[in-house]
Amino acid sequence: MIAGMTDGATLLCGKSVAENVYAECTAAIADLNQKRGRPPGLAFVLVGENPASQVYVGRKQKVSERLGISGQIIRLAADVSEAKLLECIDGLNQDAQIDGILVQQPLPAQIDATRIVRAVDPAKDVDGFHPANLGALAAGLATGFRACTPLGIMRLLDSAAIPLRGRQATVVGRSLIVGRPISYMLINAGATVTVCNSATDLQLLNQACRAADILVVAAGRPALIGADMVKPSAAVVDVGINRDSAGKLCGDVDFEAVRSRVAHITPVPGGVGPMTVAMLMANTVAAAGRAAKS
Ligand code: NAD
């Protein structure tokens, strides 16, 4: 259910849509418990003491516990070697009790994050970051795992029955975890997609944003999108997580200025963030379901 109207736009409320995803997960987990005699197993690999990473992993583990997923946090020291981390991932790849593996990023400088992403068994890559999974998405295949944040955005758009086929979508940001995968998902859904990045000419960025029926912003730049950069009928999805000058959490969109000018908008917090966690749980349940069949 969509959480109601704001001043102008309808709020796309990730919190309530996430609860629908959790209800589906709970039913699937009960089914898996019956078939396999054990819940899905999810391993979180946490390297070092990064406070934000600790909060993110703690939050994800709490949700997994609530759903009855067996969540296990593996803590490694900040100065752990790449070889040791690869060994840990290999162990989890071989472990039949583990259905999903999440290596929390960012990783310390001595570790090549690309090597780590590639070391995770694609069948346990519930973050959807492995090139095999991103490649399957880009190829338009239904196989593999999709990155959680873009998958959550698609679910949020679907929950509000926002049409995608034949619509103009603009994505601001081209990262491997948000910008690129959401672009492929929108392409696969039949949208006409423009992808912008930090090198995009400002005038072109303005034009592309104003033309968008669906505007997804994942740049990590507070107030990048103002009221003069949106189409009145647009659905605006704000992925950014920033702190404003007063230390308050904010997205990449000037929410107060934009909310009265568009048709749909996600709040920060409470929009995309809860969907990311929910889709991680959905991917873990899917991984366990596939493992049960193989
Ligand atoms: P990133 O730094 O890897 O990528 C940012 C992208 O934005 C780059 O492609 C860059 O070229 C582009 N960009 C930067 N400034 C721009 C500008 N002025 N104009 C156009 N493009 C610009 O970041 P990321 O990992 O994709 O994350 C983006 C934001 O989303 C961050 O604030 C991050 O914290 C947040 N995030 C939120 C969630 C969630 O669950 N809500 C999940 C992942 C990331």
Side-chain angles (χ1 to χ4, degrees):
M1 202 193 81
I2 308 306
M5 296 288 284
T6 169
D7 185 13
T10 299
L11 274 188
L12 296 172
C13 179
K15 263 189 179 168
S16 60
V17 179
E19 287 306 324
N20 297 342
V21 176
Y22 293 144
E24 292 163 15
C25 287
T26 303
I29 290 167
D31 193 42
L32 274 163
N33 278 341
Q34 223 176 25
K35 281 191 188 130
R36 290 200 305 181
R38 70 164 180 87
L42 174 59
F44 302 96
V45 182
L46 183 56
V47 182
E49 309 284 331
N50 181 315
S53 294
Q54 309 233 20
V55 170
Y56 290 145
V57 168
R59 201 174 287 162
K60 290 169 194 167
Q61 204 223 5
K62 216 166 134 195
V63 174
S64 65
E65 252 172 36
R66 191 189 116 196
L67 297 181
I69 290 172
S70 167
Q72 175 192 344
I73 303 182
I74 297 151
R75 295 173 198 276
L76 299 171
D79 63 353
V80 70
S81 67
E82 189 178 286
K84 199 84 195 149
L85 178 54
L86 287 169
E87 201 181 294
C88 166
I89 293 169
D90 191 45
L92 295 169
N93 284 342
Q94 307 301 328
D95 188 340
Q97 302 292 308
I98 298 295
D99 299 297
I101 303 168
L102 180 150
V103 183
Q104 185 65 40
Q105 299 216 27
L107 291 164
Q110 78 275 13
I111 290 166
D112 178 352
T114 309
R115 276 191 85 178
I116 300 305
V117 166
R118 288 181 187 180
V120 175
D121 179 349
K124 297 189 178 187
D125 172 38
V126 286
D127 249 343
F129 295 168
H130 193 287
N133 285 322
L134 188 58
L137 168 64
L141 304 174
T143 56
F145 291 103
R146 304 286 179 258
C148 302
T149 301
L151 195 55
I153 294 170
M154 294 301 278
R155 177 81 187 236
L156 211 43
L157 294 171
D158 184 61
S159 74
I162 292 167
L164 303 175
R165 193 172 172 73
R167 299 298 167 112
Q168 169 65 39
T170 296
V171 177
V172 183
R174 59 167 173 187
S175 74
L176 287 171
I177 66 169
V178 189
R180 272 170 223 236
I182 189 63
S183 304
Y184 288 129
M185 287 177 197
L186 291 165
I187 289 169
N188 293 345
T192 302
V193 182
T194 302
V195 186
C196 305
N197 63 71
S198 54
T200 303
D201 172 79
L202 199 57
Q203 204 184 340
L204 193 56
L205 177 75
N206 274 296
Q207 251 174 38
C209 290
R210 269 200 299 270
D213 299 305
I214 299 107
L215 176 60
V216 179
V217 192
R221 302 278 182 273
L224 177 65
I225 305 299
D228 57 342
M229 289 175 75
V230 290
K231 189 176 188 174
S233 56
V236 177
V237 177
D238 190 354
V239 186
I241 304 177
N242 314 293
R243 298 262 168 205
D244 66 14
S245 50
K248 201 174 146 231
L249 210 63
C250 67
D252 291 350
V253 176
D254 183 346
F255 183 80
E256 289 309 326
V258 169
R259 66 191 294 188
S260 57
R261 315 241 352 204
V262 296
H264 295 87
I265 190 165
T266 60
V268 178
V272 175
M275 293 307 298
T276 299
V277 181
M279 300 328 285
L280 173 69
M281 300 305 144
N283 274 354
T284 302
V285 172
R290 290 176 204 172
K293 280 192 197 135
S294 64

